[in-house]
């Protein structure tokens, strides 16, 4: 007797196909994920960021740079979402500068080639 393959799992009630999601929502979700991951890698989710087991400035630099590229390239499409995402990005850039033992020169920090220097 052969086994019949199990049917694919049903979609959850809240799931949507990608083709049904507006581009601004896809971009915003990606930006929020990068923003959250960057904050986590800076240790900002912990009471003592300097001693956070999740702190990894090299990873944070990569995430912040990716976020800067995404936000800068898509700002014209984000409408009213652009401002808060830029603010969050700038906050991460400043937190990175504060967390660095040897801060980058102005314009050389994570994402600053896309945003300009952050002070």
């Amino acid at each position: 007797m052969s086994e019949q393959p199990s049917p694919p799992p049903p979609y959850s009630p809240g799931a949507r196909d990608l083709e049904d999601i507006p581009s601004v929502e896809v971009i915003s979700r990606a930006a929020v994920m990068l923003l959250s991951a960057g904050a986590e890698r800076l240790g900002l989710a912990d009471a003592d960021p300097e001693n956070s087991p999740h702190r990894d400035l090299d990873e944070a630099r990569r995430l912040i740079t990716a976020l800067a590229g995404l936000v800068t390239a898509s700002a014209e499409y984000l409408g009213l979402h652009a401002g808060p995402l830029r603010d969050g990005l700038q906050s991460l850039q400043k937190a990175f500068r504060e967390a660095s033992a040897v801060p980058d020169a102005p314009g050389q920090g994570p994402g600053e080639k896309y945003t300009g220097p952050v002070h």
Side-chain angles (χ1 to χ4, degrees):
M1 196 164 154
S2 67
E3 284 188 37
Q4 295 292 325
S6 56
Y11 286 104
S12 63
R16 300 186 313 194
D17 290 331
L18 279 176
E19 71 239 13
D20 297 331
I21 303 173
S23 59
V24 68
E25 188 175 337
V26 173
I27 295 166
S28 296
R29 284 184 185 191
V32 168
M33 182 180 290
L34 289 166
L35 187 67
S36 298
E40 189 73 38
R41 291 301 188 185
L42 287 171
L44 300 178
D46 293 321
D48 183 10
E50 290 184 25
N51 295 311
S52 170
H54 306 291
R55 189 173 188 158
D56 183 334
L57 296 183
D58 189 47
E59 287 289 311
R61 177 183 295 279
R62 294 172 187 171
L63 292 162
I64 294 167
T65 299
L67 175 62
L70 177 63
V71 170
T72 302
S74 59
E76 68 180 288
Y77 308 115
L78 292 172
L80 54 100
H81 301 282
L85 289 173
R86 274 194 296 262
D87 291 345
L89 168 60
Q90 190 173 62
S91 294
L92 281 185
Q93 289 172 310
K94 288 178 180 179
F96 184 92
R97 185 170 294 284
E98 290 174 11
S100 297
V102 179
D104 296 311
Q108 300 300 308
E112 290 183 359
K113 70 179 177 181
Y114 302 112
T115 64
V118 174
H119 304 280

